[in-house]
């Protein structure tokens, strides 16, 4: 396969750098009072829409390799598509097909997990995000595996449920809790004991990414593996009590907890068990995978480490082989822009803050860790704040821009890609005013970068990977207006947009 890039005969190119700016989560909305992009002060974006080449792109559904056009886009598939310039079937679609065809259950990984538990008498544990957001996971995948586990003779199953409220409405957890509990109760009988064992909100427990906050992973590991945490008699009671104690809290921010009966926690993970992490998306699965698999591990004290068979829904990092065992093969994304440029000896700069650093590197490069050519590529990570994003809506946009301007002026980089995380990370909080500030901050950074690129004789492409900030309130399609709560106020929307 040749990686030679042919010059376009009708365009001579530019003498300076080509800069791609991804405004994460900044989509084109209805331009109403729930659209933080429309409400923000954006003179730079407004000017570009009037004077530059402008078009709207689809960033969801089949346009980015997801199962249907009812599936919202996300940062992973968005950066895969931007980096590859082509559409690949993505995790959700691949898992759907593997379950439908039965290939998932016929594979060696599933058979090993089942035989391990049947032979030892220990539980088969499922850990993952409990929702139908279809960004990191889908509850239907979990339920399909629970049913198959029973038919395959597994007597004991434990579910460790991470609550969403981010890719789905912010307080929708009980909808999924009830669906899971119904499925579990239907599988229980005199011989089979299928129960929830632990849980917590996805932004407080287990699902950290890019090494931003290993304490999240530690809290999850302690709850899932050791059964340490505040105890509740059921998953529903845990959610209800924690909400009652902290009015207004979203599901994603609920603390870690365990489910216990008269004998104590019902589902610590013990030697002889098997563990399946059922998220298909990789960025928030890698750290908990390392906690289970790494022999040398320094991020926190794991205590007594059980001897378990661990598997992921997919392999989350092919270069690092994380995890070693997985149920569904990830998409094979080749011939990415980064690979083409490296082969053509074109220098590259990729920069973002921690929350999106992996998106302009790992996901942009086709789910590939590392660089194609160390001598040509510069990757810069600006450490993110660990405070709530709505309290710092500007995030690290200014620090990223400071470094970008400095790097551009060196003349070293012919291709530059930047991700500003503000629209997505602040948009996920459901805080409208903070998100308006977040989008305004990104616009201000564009105003700083564009003149520098122009002075260097370069070209700038301003785009986004999906929508989020453009729709901050839930929309009632039937009423053709905002969905209102019991007090007549619009319900905050924390998920991505279509």
């Amino acid at each position: 396969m040749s990686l030679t890039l042919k010059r376009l005969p009708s365009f001579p190119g530019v003498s300076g750098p080509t800069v791609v700016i991804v405004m994460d989560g900044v989509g084109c909305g209805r331009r109403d009072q729930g659209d933080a992009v429309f409400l923000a002060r954006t003179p730079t974006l407004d000017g570009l829409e009037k004077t530059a080449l402008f078009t709207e792109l689809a960033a969801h559904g089949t346009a980015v390799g997801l199962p249907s056009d009812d599936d919202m886009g996300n940062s992973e598939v968005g950066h895969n598509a931007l980096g590859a310039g082509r559409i690949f079937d993505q995790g959700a679609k691949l898992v759907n097909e593997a379950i439908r065809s039965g290939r998932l259950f016929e594979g060696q990984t599933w058979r090993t997990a089942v035989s391990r538990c049947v032979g030892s008498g220990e539980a088969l544990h499922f850990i993952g995000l409990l929702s139908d957001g279809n960004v990191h996971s889908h509850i239907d995948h979990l339920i399909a595996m629970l049913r198959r586990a029973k038919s395959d003779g597994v007597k004991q199953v434990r579910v460790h449920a991470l609550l969403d409220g981010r890719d789905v409405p912010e307080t929708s957890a009980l909808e999924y809790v009830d669906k899971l509990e119904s499925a579990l109760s239907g599988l229980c009988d005199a011989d089979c004991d299928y129960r929830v064992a632990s849980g917590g909100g996805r932004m407080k427990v287990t699902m950290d990414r890019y090494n931003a906050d290993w304490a999240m992973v530690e809290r999850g590991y302690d709850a899932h593996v050791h059964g340490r945490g505040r105890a509740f008699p059921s998953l529903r009671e845990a959610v209800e009590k924690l909400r009652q104690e902290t009015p207004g809290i979203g599901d994603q921010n609920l603390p870690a907890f365990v489910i216990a009966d008269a004998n104590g926690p019902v589902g610590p993970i013990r030697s002889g068990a098997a563990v399946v992490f059922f998220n298909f998306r990789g960025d928030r699965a890698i750290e908990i995978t390392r906690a289970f698999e790494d022999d040398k591990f320094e991020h926190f004290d794991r205590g007594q480490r059980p001897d378990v068979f661990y598997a992921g829904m997919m392999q989350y990092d092919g270069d690092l082989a994380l995890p070693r065992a997985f149920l569904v093969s990830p998409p094979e994304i080749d011939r990415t822009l980064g690979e083409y440029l490296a082969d053509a000896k074109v220098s590259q700069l990729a920069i973002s803050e921690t929350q999106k650093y992996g998106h302009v590197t790992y996901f942009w490069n086709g789910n590939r860790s590392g660089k194609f050519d160390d001598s040509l590529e510069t990757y810069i990570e600006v450490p993110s704040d660990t405070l709530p994003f709505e309290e710092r809506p500007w995030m690290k946009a200014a620090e990223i821009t400071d470094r970008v301007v400095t790097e551009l002026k060196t003349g070293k980089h012919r291709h530059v890609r930047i991700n500003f995380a503000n629209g997505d990370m602040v948009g996920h909080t459901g805080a409208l005013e903070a998100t308006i500030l977040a989008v305004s901050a990104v616009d201000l950074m564009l105003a700083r970068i564009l003149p520098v690129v122009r002075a260097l004789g370069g070209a700038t492409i301003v785009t986004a990977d999906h929508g989020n900030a453009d729709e901050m309130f839930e929309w009632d399609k039937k009423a053709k207006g905002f969905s209102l709560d019991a007090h007549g106020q619009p319900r905050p929307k924390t998920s991505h947009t279509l």
Side-chain angles (χ1 to χ4, degrees):
M1 179 195 70
S2 173
L3 290 172
T4 302
L5 289 170
K6 296 181 179 179
R7 288 192 174 276
L8 189 66
S10 60
F11 180 62
V14 294
S15 59
T18 299
V19 179
V20 180
I21 301 174
V22 181
M23 305 181 298
D24 212 293
V26 177
C28 301
R30 285 185 297 270
R31 295 177 176 260
D32 57 21
Q33 293 307 300
D35 184 345
V37 179
F38 169 67
L39 297 173
R41 186 178 184 277
T42 55
T44 311
L45 279 174
D46 296 342
L48 288 175
E49 185 173 349
K50 294 174 182 176
T51 61
L53 295 173
F54 175 83
T55 191
E56 294 185 7
L57 302 175
H60 70 285
T62 56
V64 288
L66 295 170
S68 78
D69 286 336
D70 291 328
D71 294 309
M72 69 186 83
N74 63 69
S75 297
E76 174 191 19
V77 302
H79 283 78
N80 279 169
L82 290 168
R86 289 168 291 146
I87 300 169
F88 291 83
D89 285 348
Q90 289 291 338
K93 189 171 183 178
L94 295 172
V95 175
N96 288 348
E97 175 57 25
I99 291 174
R100 187 200 64 77
S101 67
R103 287 199 311 272
L104 186 152
F105 305 115
E106 296 162 1
Q108 185 59 50
T109 296
W110 178 262
R111 295 202 305 269
T112 299
V114 166
S115 64
R116 175 80 176 243
C117 297
V118 170
S120 69
E122 287 295 330
L124 174 55
H125 294 262
F126 293 97
I127 306 173
L129 189 64
L130 186 69
S131 81
D132 59 4
N134 222 28
V135 174
H136 291 267
S137 68
H138 200 293
I139 188 173
D140 289 351
H141 300 162
L142 170 62
I143 291 174
M145 290 188 291
L146 293 173
R147 290 171 176 161
R148 182 58 181 249
K150 180 167 183 177
S151 69
D152 284 347
V154 177
K155 303 298 185 185
Q156 187 178 176
V157 164
R158 294 293 183 265
V159 177
H160 305 264
L162 304 174
L163 305 173
D164 196 344
R166 190 174 177 88
D167 297 325
V168 293
E170 64 175 347
T171 54
S172 58
L174 292 179
E175 172 187 342
Y176 308 107
V177 168
D178 290 345
K179 185 173 182 178
L180 172 62
E181 294 282 19
S182 176
L184 292 172
S185 64
L187 294 168
C188 287
D189 56 31
D191 296 321
C192 292
D193 178 19
Y194 283 35
R195 287 191 269 178
V196 176
S198 70
R202 59 178 282 181
M203 293 305 289
K204 295 296 182 183
V205 180
T206 305
M207 283 177 57
D208 183 43
R209 66 179 176 192
Y210 308 147
N211 305 303
D213 186 4
W214 274 95
M216 281 176 59
V217 186
E218 182 177 13
R219 289 190 290 270
Y221 191 88
D222 281 348
H224 310 326
V225 176
H226 300 302
R228 296 176 190 150
R230 185 175 173 187
F232 295 90
S234 72
L235 180 54
R236 171 173 265 278
E237 290 185 58
V239 174
E240 290 178 335
K241 184 64 173 177
L242 292 169
R243 285 180 179 173
Q244 180 184 351
E245 292 175 350
T246 310
I249 192 170
D251 297 334
Q252 62 182 317
N253 291 315
L254 293 174
F257 55 83
V258 299
I259 307 304
D261 58 18
N263 298 314
V266 303
I269 298 175
R270 296 186 287 255
S271 292
V275 178
V276 172
F277 195 80
F278 64 86
N279 287 14
F280 48 75
R281 176 167 157 173
D283 56 346
R284 292 190 182 274
I286 287 174
E287 290 176 36
I288 188 64
T289 295
R290 292 186 57 194
F292 275 99
E293 292 205 332
D294 284 4
D295 292 326
K296 294 182 179 180
F297 187 82
E298 300 176 350
H299 298 285
F300 57 85
D301 182 2
R302 293 179 291 187
Q304 186 68 35
R305 184 182 172 201
D307 178 11
V308 302
F309 175 74
Y310 179 88
M313 178 64 85
M314 306 187 83
Q315 187 166 59
Y316 305 125
D317 190 319
D319 295 314
L320 299 177
L322 290 172
R324 290 183 288 273
F326 49 96
L327 294 166
V328 180
S329 296
E332 296 181 5
I333 301 176
D334 62 351
R335 293 180 288 137
T336 62
L337 178 60
E339 187 176 8
Y340 273 112
L341 294 177
D343 187 75
K345 304 304 179 185
V346 175
S347 55
Q348 305 174 54
L349 168 66
I351 180 170
S352 187
E353 62 179 280
T354 304
Q355 290 295 334
K356 297 292 181 177
Y357 170 72
H359 292 74
V360 289
T361 54
Y362 175 81
F363 289 128
W364 187 279
N365 290 334
N367 305 334
R368 181 187 188 277
S369 295
K371 302 172 182 175
F372 295 103
D373 188 329
D374 282 336
S375 67
L376 292 169
E377 296 173 82
T378 302
Y379 293 174
I380 298 173
E381 176 185 353
V382 177
S384 289
D385 291 321
T386 56
L387 295 168
F389 299 115
E390 68 270 27
E391 295 180 8
R392 298 287 191 280
W394 42 87
M395 298 183 68
K396 295 298 180 181
E399 290 84 348
I400 293 169
T401 302
D402 291 344
R403 188 63 184 271
V404 166
V405 170
T406 298
E407 292 290 332
L408 285 171
K409 289 180 177 178
T410 67
K412 287 170 48 180
H413 313 292
R414 290 283 292 143
H415 167 77
V416 179
R417 54 187 182 266
I418 307 160
N419 181 296
F420 287 117
N422 309 58
D424 191 42
M425 301 309 295
V426 184
H428 275 308
T429 70
L432 175 62
E433 293 300 326
T435 308
I436 292 171
L437 289 173
V439 176
S440 297
V442 171
D443 190 84
L444 183 60
M445 297 308 109
L446 295 180
R448 293 181 56 198
I449 294 171
L450 289 171
V452 177
V453 177
R454 194 176 301 117
L456 293 170
T460 306
I461 301 169
V462 180
T463 189
D465 53 346
H466 58 78
N468 186 335
D470 48 291
E471 191 173 317
M472 296 299 296
F473 297 140
E474 294 287 346
W475 185 257
D476 187 328
K477 292 182 180 178
K478 291 183 179 179
K480 296 183 179 180
F482 298 133
S483 175
L484 305 179
D485 62 20
H487 304 289
Q489 298 300 310
R491 298 180 188 275
K493 182 182 177 75
T494 55
S495 60
H496 297 164
T497 55
L498 294 176

